[in-house]
Amino acid sequence: MREVLIITEPEKVRVLSDETRFKILQLLRERPMTVWELSMALKKDRTTVYRHIKVLQRAGLIEELGSEGNEKLYGRTARLFLIKADPDESIEGFRQAYLRVEADKLIKLLEKSGVKIENRAKLTELIKEILNEIEINSQPIIKKISKSNVELSEIELFHLLNVLVFLQSCELCEKAKMVKELIEF
């Protein structure tokens, strides 16, 4: 299993945009599982889960690891998936929902850390815009790395993302000032 898999192809993002498939990947992050285990956890029919497993397998997101009795055991092909697809009309709804969820997670993290937030709704929209801008402007580099099939570790991914943000820091100065006005450390 790879540490990080960068997903830039819209067709793979479409695969992930299905709620059941996304949940399957979340469950497989914990440990490899059989179709039966996944169907019990998801409270879905085994044939439905199996159909989703095959779609995820064809997209290269999960793989068969062996068997457990009569059941095949499935696991993720990477510990982390970095979703950085080009804006595409067919996945734009998913992309925007994903950005909103990530913005909400960041705000909850700040709040749990004791950061006071002036206007939560405004900050959510601003962070969503910032994430979107960083994502779009980072596409050329991310695509090049993804296509070269270079294996990234988690720490290398973290550093890469920091450099990508740094490269865009001048363009994001105005938004940074706006964020600073909405939070109090």
Side-chain angles (χ1 to χ4, degrees), residues 120-132:
R120 196 176 202 286
K122 188 174 180 180
L123 184 59
T124 300
E125 281 307 308
L126 193 53
I127 289 175
K128 190 176 148 231
E129 285 175 29
I130 291 166
L131 292 174
N132 188 52

Side-chain angles (χ1 to χ4, degrees), residues 139-175:
Q139 277 303 321
I141 295 171
I142 293 287
K143 267 191 163 179
K144 195 165 189 76
I145 291 169
S146 174
K147 287 187 188 317
S148 70
N149 210 20
V150 172
E151 293 225 11
L152 287 171
S153 70
E154 200 171 336
I155 194 69
E156 289 167 330
L157 173 64
F158 180 73
H159 291 312
L160 171 65
L161 295 174
N162 279 335
V163 168
L164 291 172
V165 170
F166 173 75
L167 290 172
Q168 298 174 56
S169 58
C170 293
E171 290 91 6
L172 296 170
C173 281
E174 234 9 82
K175 287 186 176 150

Side-chain angles (χ1 to χ4, degrees), residues 83-95:
I83 303 168
K84 296 291 181 192
D86 280 332
D88 180 281
E89 201 173 291
S90 66
I91 61 166
E92 195 54 30
F94 173 77
R95 228 173 76 36

Side-chain angles (χ1 to χ4, degrees), residues 62-76:
I62 66 169
E63 61 190 347
E64 190 180 314
L65 299 175
S67 55
E68 203 171 87
N70 292 337
E71 292 269 339
K72 291 179 182 174
L73 194 62
Y74 295 95
R76 294 162 59 118

Side-chain angles (χ1 to χ4, degrees), residues 85-129:
D86 280 332
D88 180 281
E89 201 173 291
S90 66
I91 61 166
E92 195 54 30
F94 173 77
R95 228 173 76 36
Q96 292 306 314
Y98 176 78
L99 290 171
R100 176 166 297 286
V101 167
E102 294 307 309
D104 284 337
K105 284 181 189 176
L106 287 171
I107 290 171
K108 284 178 186 167
L109 176 76
L110 291 172
E111 289 172 332
K112 283 181 182 176
S113 302
V115 174
K116 187 177 183 276
I117 296 173
E118 190 73 29
N119 183 332
R120 196 176 202 286
K122 188 174 180 180
L123 184 59
T124 300
E125 281 307 308
L126 193 53
I127 289 175
K128 190 176 148 231
E129 285 175 29

Side-chain angles (χ1 to χ4, degrees), residues 20-33:
T20 300
R21 291 192 281 264
F22 199 78
K23 285 180 181 176
I24 288 170
L25 280 177
Q26 287 176 315
L27 288 167
L28 292 177
R29 183 169 178 136
E30 295 171 23
R31 65 181 175 80
M33 299 173 93

